Amino acid sequence: MTRPDHDAMTGDLFAGTSGALPRYETLCPGAMLLRGFARPAEAALQAAIDHVARAAPFRHMITPGGYRMSVAMTNCGTYGWVTDRHGYRYDTIDPERGKPWPPMPKVFERLAHDAAEAAGFPGFTPDACLINRYDPGARLSLHQDKDERDYDQPIVSVSLGLPATFLFGGVRRKDRPAQLPLTHGDVVVWGGPSRLRYHGVKRLETGHHPLLGRCRINLTLRRAV
Ligand code: SIN
Ligand code: FE2
């Protein structure tokens, strides 16, 4: 499948080079993988991530069960996703700093909107962005995103930096997940009948990425409220 609108808008390097490369892939009803969708914005995304992380540094949160997450996290937007001994929740205040999260960078908002639209979810306006940093060895176990108020709103997930294996399962925990290799600039969108699919990330292999160095960054853009 080609993507004439996006190509024309962004001047994507891969545009028109081959009809053979499927750049958009339907994973299952309501879920799409948009290969390289974020690449045209990589420099702006990196600058925005640095800006957010200077204000609200990455930290390893604690799960309700007392486990320190291997993924380092921060947030931007009106709502931030947090976990601590009391549970998972969205909060307008960063508990580490006692202040609101940094505002959502326009480039995040725009990318999330455009990716959601390309995947069949027009009009998406995220109010929360969780920024995950995976250093080599970090992983994220299978879970559902279900702390949001309205499941009609999709999830937009942006991969930057080192490659990773994304686990994309079914709506029951026991459904065996597909293993999807994700690389820099790939965007996965899931909503509708796929909104509550289990997903996770396998342990990150070590490596070096020309833009981001020794890590993978994932942006998870959501409508929390
Ligand atoms: C998440 O589910 O919050 C992150 C998924 C990813 O890192 O690809
Ligand atoms: Fe998730």
Side-chain angles (χ1 to χ4, degrees), residues 130 132 134 140 143 145 157 166 199 201 216 218 220 222:
L130 172 66
N132 293 312
Y134 297 74
L140 192 63
H143 65 277
D145 287 6
S157 176
F166 185 61
H199 57 280
V201 178
R216 169 178 186 259
N218 166 263
T220 300
R222 307 174 177 134

Side-chain angles (χ1 to χ4, degrees), residues 45 48-53 56 58-59 61 71-76 81 102 105 108 128-134 160 216-222:
L45 291 170
I49 292 162
D50 287 347
H51 187 78
V52 169
F58 284 102
R59 78 291 304 264
M61 296 185 197
V71 180
M73 299 176 167
T74 186
N75 288 278
C76 58
W81 184 86
F108 286 17
C129 179
L130 172 66
I131 309 180
N132 293 312
R133 193 193 70 215
Y134 297 74
L160 297 168
R216 169 178 186 259
I217 300 272
N218 166 263
L219 310 175
T220 300
L221 292 128
R222 307 174 177 134

Side-chain angles (χ1 to χ4, degrees), residues 8 18 30 34 48 54 61 66 78-79 86 96 101 117 127 131 137 164 168-169 190 200 210 212 218:
S18 155
L34 313 174
R54 267 196 300 276
M61 296 185 197
T78 306
Y79 298 94
H86 306 291
E96 296 270 307
W101 298 101
E117 187 170 83
D127 59 9
I131 309 180
F168 198 55
W190 62 96
L212 286 154
N218 166 263

Side-chain angles (χ1 to χ4, degrees), residues 103-189:
M104 173 97 64
K106 282 275 171 274
V107 62
F108 286 17
E109 218 172 77
R110 172 100 197 263
L111 176 65
H113 174 274
D114 292 357
E117 187 170 83
F121 302 98
F124 180 59
T125 52
D127 59 9
C129 179
L130 172 66
I131 309 180
N132 293 312
R133 193 193 70 215
Y134 297 74
D135 298 325
R139 61 184 287 273
L140 192 63
S141 50
L142 277 183
H143 65 277
Q144 294 170 296
D145 287 6
K146 56 177 185 187
D147 301 323
E148 301 73 30
R149 201 168 281 174
D150 179 6
Y151 296 154
D152 288 340
Q153 302 285 334
I155 303 289
V156 175
S157 176
V158 180
S159 291
L160 297 168
L162 288 178
T165 303
F166 185 61
L167 302 169
F168 198 55
V171 293
R172 290 162 307 183
R173 186 182 285 279
K174 65 174 196 287
D175 297 332
R176 187 210 293 248
Q179 304 205 9
L180 294 171
L182 295 182
T183 61
H184 179 71
D186 290 350
V187 178
V188 185
V189 180

